[in-house]
Amino acid sequence: DMKKIALTLIALAAFAAALSADDRPISFDRLPSAAKSYIETNFPGENASFVTKDDDLIRPDYTVVLTNGIKMEFDHSGALTQISSPDGIPAEQVPVSIRNYVKAHYPDAGYLEFEIGRHTYEVKLTNRMELKFNKNFHIIEIDD
């Protein structure tokens, strides 16, 4: 039916727009094992709506979006570098030292995004605060 075809085309267009020029779809099975095991452990029973790999031959990054809307990015080895969702991510995905800080200072806030940098950790909270911590989990920057 035309409505289904139109919706499928809209979904495909949105998916294509979400991909950068260097990303290409791959199957879940082609993810590094560390990334697969992270997803299977933390989101059992959730399915991937799409998985992409960038074209960097030496150190490709991977992006996974689950059917529940959670988006994750992994580095070439399969280590998590970012997890986000407009509906919020489970607090358990954030290290306990950061959760303790957030609980003490912003008790009502949830988490929209957690990013693991080379030397820092960043969280975006539901109250619009963005917090940056160093590798020892000391707060180094606060933006609102």
Side-chain angles (χ1 to χ4, degrees):
D1 108 298
M2 286 306 288
K3 197 175 194 179
K4 254 190 197 140
I5 293 169
L7 287 172
T8 302
L9 289 174
I10 290 166
L12 285 171
F15 174 68
L19 296 176
S20 83
D22 301 342
D23 292 347
R24 63 182 193 285
I26 61 167
S27 70
F28 184 83
D29 299 339
R30 302 220 8 243
L31 283 171
S33 57
K36 283 193 289 203
S37 107
Y38 178 88
I39 295 166
E40 289 162 354
T41 302
N42 291 286
F43 301 99
E46 285 294 337
N47 291 313
S49 63
F50 72 87
V51 181
T52 62
K53 175 184 180 178
D54 77 20
D55 272 338
D56 184 322
L57 292 173
I58 296 139
R59 298 168 74 90
D61 292 335
Y62 300 86
T63 301
V64 178
V65 177
L66 300 179
T67 50
N68 65 6
I70 290 182
K71 175 184 176 187
M72 289 165 277
E73 294 177 20
F74 298 91
D75 70 12
H76 65 282
S77 69
L80 182 74
T81 57
Q82 187 174 329
I83 179 169
S84 63
S85 171
D87 300 324
I89 58 170
E92 311 84 62
Q93 301 307 308
V94 178
V96 70
S97 304
I98 294 175
R99 294 200 317 254
N100 290 340
Y101 180 92
V102 170
K103 200 179 296 168
H105 295 87
Y106 311 102
D108 298 330
Y111 300 90
L112 294 175
E113 183 177 300
F114 173 55
E115 188 172 339
I116 302 162
R118 187 169 285 154
H119 303 291
T120 59
Y121 299 100
E122 281 185 62
V123 289
K124 286 184 184 161
L125 304 177
T126 51
N127 64 3
R128 291 204 169 96
M129 298 299 290
E130 294 184 25
L131 311 175
K132 188 184 273 190
F133 298 82
N134 67 16
K135 279 293 185 205
N136 299 318
F137 301 107
H138 296 123
I139 187 91
I140 54 174
E141 200 176 296
I142 299 175
D143 291 323
D144 58 3

